[in-house]
Amino acid sequence: MNELLETSLYFGMVLSVGAYLAALWLKKKLGWAILNPLLVASILVIGFLAVFQIDYQTYNEGAKYLSYLLTPATVCLAIPLYKQLEMLKKHCVAVFAAIGSGVAASAFSVFCLVKLLGLSHEDYVTLLPKSITTAIGMGVSEEAGGVVALTVVTIILTGVAGSVMAELIFKAAGIRHPVARGLALGTSAHAVGTSKALELGEIEGAMSSLAIAVAGLLTVILVPIISGLA
Amino acid sequence: MKLIKEAALIFAVTMAGELLYTILPFPVPAGVYGLFLLLFLLLSGLIKVEQIERAGNFLLEIMAMLFIPAMAGILESKDLLARVAVPYMVIILVTTAFVMAVTGKAADFIIRRKEEKEAEK
């Protein structure tokens, strides 16, 4: 199987896009919050490679071109940020205070749990960017000396966990304002949480995508300062 | 032609971001430099949002799909994962719920206080 597929550069591309389409279809069909398309598509790809005993390298020979597009996609996060600048100005204090507390809460809780569970420095820096968007988080983890592959999985699982728990937490903590809900989703669960926020409403979605960029940047600044703590 | 212009602009900003990453000493990913640069270009009016919107929104729309190869890359480190799967899951669930509650509660509190003050006037 490996030898045959090695001859096609597009195998990895077809498998990735096909798996993503199948995952979107499944989400539409069943509508469960846990069926995050990225999570489902990744499980399909990993399952396919495992069942047919195909090397990751063979797959990535074609799939890596998808990864190449991540940098320009990150650059384009400037577009929603630019469009929501008015909303940002109106709730300026709340936006920055809330996202700042969220980023600090993330670092603090990761630090405490890493210490409590007796994990290593490498685990600590791998987990620190867990609540920010993957494109930024991968870079932060790499710079700090984390295991990038584990950071990516952690970030995605964080996004899915946040989306699934969101409504329960909003109810339990009494978080009612749409701006607050959007900021909470974006700061804790990045882009995956933002798709959940868009389901809740337009303001939630707008605030959540704003939080992705701001929380990402705050984390970029914070991590080099605190990465030496554990 | 229009889409090619849009793509050219976005790729050019991306490239500038990568060059900044090489030149500057900060631990900031190239994409973030590009994000700031594009935001600056939009705010200064050097680029209009209409000049990049279609290609840009397409990239944002497919962004989740672009992470699949990185996610499948876990196959390369599955031994690592086996060691940390349980503590990582605990940390993910606890800290995500905590961060969400703290952020939401802080924003809710500030906005409510502001609205109450405005109502008093």
Side-chain angles (χ1 to χ4, degrees):
Chain A
M1 198 73 173
N2 258 321
E3 292 78 35
L4 178 65
L5 289 172
E6 260 170 26
T7 60
S8 166
L9 251 182
Y10 267 83
F11 157 65
M13 189 74 98
V14 171
L15 180 60
S16 309
V17 178
Y20 193 66
L21 267 180
L24 285 179
W25 177 81
L26 200 68
K27 167 89 193 195
K28 207 176 161 193
K29 197 88 180 162
L30 296 171
W32 304 344
I34 189 112
L35 290 180
N36 172 255
L38 173 57
L39 180 74
V40 174
S42 304
I43 292 171
L44 289 175
V45 168
I46 291 173
F48 188 93
L49 298 181
V51 168
F52 293 99
Q53 305 208 331
I54 301 160
D55 291 339
Y56 175 74
Q57 294 307 334
T58 307
Y59 158 77
N60 201 38
E61 203 50 51
K64 70 182 177 203
Y65 297 103
L66 286 177
S67 313
Y68 281 161
L69 286 175
L70 268 176
T71 314
T74 309
V75 171
C76 290
L77 283 172
I79 297 173
L81 195 55
Y82 172 73
K83 284 185 174 170
Q84 288 149 25
L85 221 61
E86 283 311 308
M87 183 116 67
L88 171 69
K89 279 181 193 158
K90 191 181 167 209
H91 292 290
C92 188
V93 179
V95 166
F96 284 100
I99 298 173
S101 350
V103 170
S106 177
F108 174 72
S109 55
V110 168
F111 174 79
C112 290
L113 282 168
V114 162
K115 281 285 174 208
L116 200 69
L117 297 169
L119 300 177
S120 68
H121 169 78
E122 194 180 62
D123 293 315
Y124 174 59
V125 289
T126 298
L127 287 164
L128 270 181
K130 59 171 274 297
S131 276
I132 62 174
T133 195
T134 319
I136 303 178
M138 281 167 86
V140 170
S141 171
E142 195 172 10
E143 290 291 335
V147 185
V148 176
L150 285 182
T151 298
V152 172
V153 178
T154 307
I155 287 173
I156 291 158
L157 291 176
T158 296
V160 177
S163 307
V164 175
M165 295 188 290
E167 279 172 281
L168 194 76
I169 291 171
F170 292 160
K171 205 172 269 177
I175 298 162
R176 280 180 290 270
H177 200 285
V179 170
R181 290 180 164 206
L183 290 174
L185 266 164
T187 306
S188 63
H190 54 87
V192 183
T194 301
S195 59
K196 175 70 192 171
L198 281 165
E199 280 174 30
L200 296 176
E202 210 168 66
I203 301 174
E204 285 91 335
M207 277 300 155
S208 186
S209 32
L210 184 67
I212 296 177
V214 179
L217 296 173
L218 285 179
T219 306
V220 166
I221 298 166
L222 186 68
V223 165
I225 302 169
I226 60 161
S227 63
L229 291 181
Chain B
M1 183 68 178
K2 172 94 169 65
L3 263 177
I4 295 175
K5 268 190 199 159
E6 293 199 5
L9 270 175
I10 291 170
F11 289 148
V13 175
T14 306
M15 190 181 123
E18 288 185 322
L19 295 178
L20 283 174
Y21 173 78
T22 315
I23 297 165
L24 298 173
F26 311 111
V28 176
V32 179
Y33 281 123
L35 192 165
F36 265 132
L37 186 61
L38 183 57
L39 188 63
F40 168 77
L41 291 169
L42 287 168
L43 287 173
S44 65
L46 289 168
I47 291 183
K48 299 260 178 298
V49 78
E50 297 81 36
Q51 285 175 289
I52 48 159
E53 213 174 8
R54 265 170 72 202
N57 284 338
F58 172 72
L59 279 172
L60 289 176
E61 201 177 299
I62 64 164
M63 195 165 178
M65 184 174 78
L66 305 179
F67 295 125
I68 296 173
M71 181 77 167
I74 197 66
L75 279 170
E76 298 277 88
S77 47
K78 53 175 180 279
D79 299 335
L80 270 172
L81 185 70
R83 180 180 63 86
V84 296
V86 175
Y88 272 39
M89 267 328 282
V90 171
I91 291 178
I92 287 168
L93 291 173
V94 174
T95 61
T96 306
F98 181 63
V99 174
M100 193 180 283
V102 167
T103 313
K105 217 48 205 166
D108 216 51
F109 175 75
I110 297 168
I111 293 168
R112 243 160 247 291
R113 217 180 48 175
K114 192 179 155 198
E115 280 174 353
E116 276 163 19
K117 268 187 189 163
E118 276 166 8
E120 275 170 21
K121 276 176 195 168

